[in-house]
Protein backbone atom coordinates (compact mmCIF):
# COMPACT_ATOMS: atom_id res chain seq x y z
CA UNK A 1 0.00 0.00 0.00
CA UNK A 2 0.86 3.66 0.22
CA UNK A 3 2.80 5.35 3.00
CA UNK A 4 2.23 8.98 4.05
CA UNK A 5 3.75 10.25 7.29
CA UNK A 6 1.88 12.98 9.22
CA UNK A 7 5.01 14.24 11.06
CA UNK A 8 8.61 14.75 9.88
CA UNK A 9 10.60 11.51 9.77
CA UNK A 10 14.24 10.47 10.11
CA UNK A 11 14.78 7.48 7.83
CA UNK A 12 17.97 5.53 8.56
CA UNK A 13 17.68 2.57 6.18
CA UNK A 14 16.51 1.75 2.67
CA UNK A 15 12.75 1.85 2.14
CA UNK A 16 10.64 0.22 -0.60
CA UNK A 17 6.95 1.16 -0.79
CA UNK A 18 4.64 -0.66 -3.20
CA UNK A 19 2.28 2.32 -3.47
CA UNK A 20 2.77 6.07 -3.12
CA UNK A 21 5.22 7.59 -0.63
CA UNK A 22 5.15 11.07 0.88
CA UNK A 23 6.92 12.70 3.78
CA UNK A 24 6.13 16.07 5.36
CA UNK A 25 8.34 19.17 5.44
CA UNK A 26 11.54 18.95 7.45
CA UNK A 27 12.12 15.20 7.01
CA UNK A 28 15.54 13.53 6.78
CA UNK A 29 15.81 10.63 4.33
CA UNK A 30 19.17 9.12 5.17
CA UNK A 31 19.06 6.29 2.62
CA UNK A 32 17.38 5.18 -0.63
CA UNK A 33 13.59 5.34 -1.12
CA UNK A 34 11.79 3.48 -3.92
CA UNK A 35 8.07 3.95 -4.55
CA UNK A 36 5.85 1.78 -6.76
CA UNK A 37 3.63 4.83 -7.39
CA UNK A 38 4.22 8.56 -6.84
CA UNK A 39 6.86 9.99 -4.52
CA UNK A 40 6.61 13.41 -2.80
CA UNK A 41 9.19 14.97 -0.48
CA UNK A 42 8.09 17.85 1.75
CA UNK A 43 9.57 21.34 1.80
CA UNK A 44 12.98 21.78 3.42
CA UNK A 45 13.72 18.04 3.64
CA UNK A 46 17.19 16.50 3.28
CA UNK A 47 17.62 13.47 0.99
CA UNK A 48 20.96 11.69 1.36
CA UNK A 49 20.09 8.56 -0.66
CA UNK A 50 18.72 7.88 -4.12
CA UNK A 51 15.00 8.41 -4.82
CA UNK A 52 13.10 6.35 -7.41
CA UNK A 53 9.45 6.41 -8.43
CA UNK A 54 7.46 4.33 -10.92
CA UNK A 55 5.11 7.33 -11.34
CA UNK A 56 5.43 11.09 -10.72
CA UNK A 57 7.97 12.60 -8.32
CA UNK A 58 7.87 16.04 -6.68
CA UNK A 59 10.51 17.58 -4.46
CA UNK A 60 8.98 20.61 -2.76
CA UNK A 61 10.90 23.83 -2.22
CA UNK A 62 14.22 24.15 -0.40
CA UNK A 63 15.04 20.42 -0.35
CA UNK A 64 18.69 19.38 -0.24
CA UNK A 65 19.73 16.35 -2.35
CA UNK A 66 22.82 14.19 -2.28
CA UNK A 67 21.59 11.18 -4.31
CA UNK A 68 20.21 10.45 -7.78
CA UNK A 69 16.56 10.94 -8.79
CA UNK A 70 14.71 8.63 -11.18
CA UNK A 71 11.06 8.86 -12.23
CA UNK A 72 9.21 6.65 -14.72
CA UNK A 73 6.81 9.54 -15.42
CA UNK A 74 7.42 13.20 -14.52
CA UNK A 75 9.81 14.88 -12.09
CA UNK A 76 9.29 18.38 -10.63
CA UNK A 77 11.98 20.19 -8.66
CA UNK A 78 10.38 23.13 -6.87
CA UNK A 79 11.98 26.50 -6.19
CA UNK A 80 15.00 26.43 -3.90
CA UNK A 81 15.92 22.75 -4.39
CA UNK A 82 19.67 22.12 -4.17
CA UNK A 83 21.26 18.99 -5.62
CA UNK A 84 24.86 19.16 -4.52
CA UNK A 85 25.82 15.51 -4.75
CA UNK A 86 27.94 14.98 -1.67
CA UNK A 87 30.88 12.97 -3.08
CA UNK A 88 29.91 13.08 -6.76
CA UNK A 89 27.51 14.45 -9.35
CA UNK A 90 23.73 13.96 -9.24
CA UNK A 91 21.68 12.43 -12.05
CA UNK A 92 18.03 13.52 -12.26
CA UNK A 93 16.07 11.63 -14.93
CA UNK A 94 12.40 11.43 -15.86
CA UNK A 95 10.98 9.39 -18.71
CA UNK A 96 8.00 11.67 -19.51
CA UNK A 97 9.28 15.15 -18.69
CA UNK A 98 11.23 17.11 -16.13
CA UNK A 99 10.20 20.50 -14.73
CA UNK A 100 12.56 22.93 -13.00
CA UNK A 101 11.12 25.88 -11.12
CA UNK A 102 13.23 29.04 -10.68
CA UNK A 103 16.18 29.00 -8.25
CA UNK A 104 16.96 25.27 -8.60
CA UNK A 105 20.61 24.20 -8.56
CA UNK A 106 21.71 20.69 -9.58
CA UNK A 107 25.39 19.81 -9.79
CA UNK A 108 25.32 17.00 -12.32
CA UNK A 109 23.02 15.87 -15.13
CA UNK A 110 19.33 16.64 -15.66
CA UNK A 111 17.69 14.68 -18.48
CA UNK A 112 14.47 13.40 -20.00
CA UNK A 113 13.85 11.76 -23.40
CA UNK A 114 10.66 13.85 -23.75
CA UNK A 115 11.47 17.35 -22.44
CA UNK A 116 13.18 19.39 -19.74
CA UNK A 117 11.56 22.76 -19.13
CA UNK A 118 11.48 25.64 -16.70
CA UNK A 119 8.23 26.69 -15.04
CA UNK A 120 6.86 29.20 -12.58
CA UNK A 121 6.25 27.90 -9.04
CA UNK A 122 2.89 26.16 -8.64
CA UNK A 123 0.39 28.06 -6.50
CA UNK A 124 -0.92 25.62 -3.91
CA UNK A 125 -4.66 25.95 -3.40
CA UNK A 126 -5.22 27.91 -6.60
CA UNK A 127 -5.68 31.59 -7.38
CA UNK A 128 -8.74 31.93 -5.13
CA UNK A 129 -6.66 31.10 -2.04
CA UNK A 130 -3.97 33.62 -3.04
CA UNK A 131 -6.53 36.40 -3.58
CA UNK A 132 -8.36 35.62 -0.32
CA UNK A 133 -5.14 36.22 1.64
CA UNK A 134 -4.76 39.75 0.24
Amino acid sequence: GSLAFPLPIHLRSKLVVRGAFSCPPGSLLGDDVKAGDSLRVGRGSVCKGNLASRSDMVLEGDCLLEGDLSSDRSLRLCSGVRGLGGAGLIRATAKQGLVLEPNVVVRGQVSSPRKVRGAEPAIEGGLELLLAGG
Side-chain angles (χ1 to χ4, degrees):
S2 296
L3 184 59
F5 292 96
L7 298 173
I9 63 167
H10 180 180
L11 183 69
R12 295 183 186 182
S13 62
K14 296 182 185 329
L15 178 65
V16 177
V17 179
R18 290 185 183 207
F21 171 83
S22 67
C23 63
S27 294
L28 172 59
L29 304 178
D31 210 330
D32 300 349
V33 176
K34 292 182 181 180
D37 198 353
S38 64
L39 190 148
R40 185 175 199 92
V41 177
R43 181 177 209 64
S45 294
V46 176
C47 306
K48 294 183 178 249
N50 300 322
L51 303 179
S53 169
R54 298 197 57 160
S55 185
D56 300 317
M57 183 186 305
V58 176
L59 276 73
E60 295 178 357
D62 303 320
C63 286
L64 177 63
L65 308 172
E66 293 184 5
D68 294 339
L69 306 174
S70 174
S71 172
D72 285 355
R73 289 186 59 195
S74 68
L75 171 60
R76 184 178 194 98
L77 301 180
C78 296
S79 184
V81 167
R82 298 289 182 259
L84 303 176
L89 301 177
I90 288 179
R91 279 185 299 214
T93 60
K95 291 183 180 173
Q96 294 185 12
L98 197 144
V99 177
L100 302 171
E101 290 185 1
N103 193 23
V104 170
V105 176
V106 175
R107 190 175 83 189
Q109 178 183 1
V110 176
S111 66
S112 174
R114 294 260 175 126
K115 62 183 171 182
V116 175
R117 67 180 180 89
E120 290 300 314
I123 299 174
E124 297 293 327
L127 185 59
E128 295 81 21
L129 181 63
L130 181 64
L131 294 174

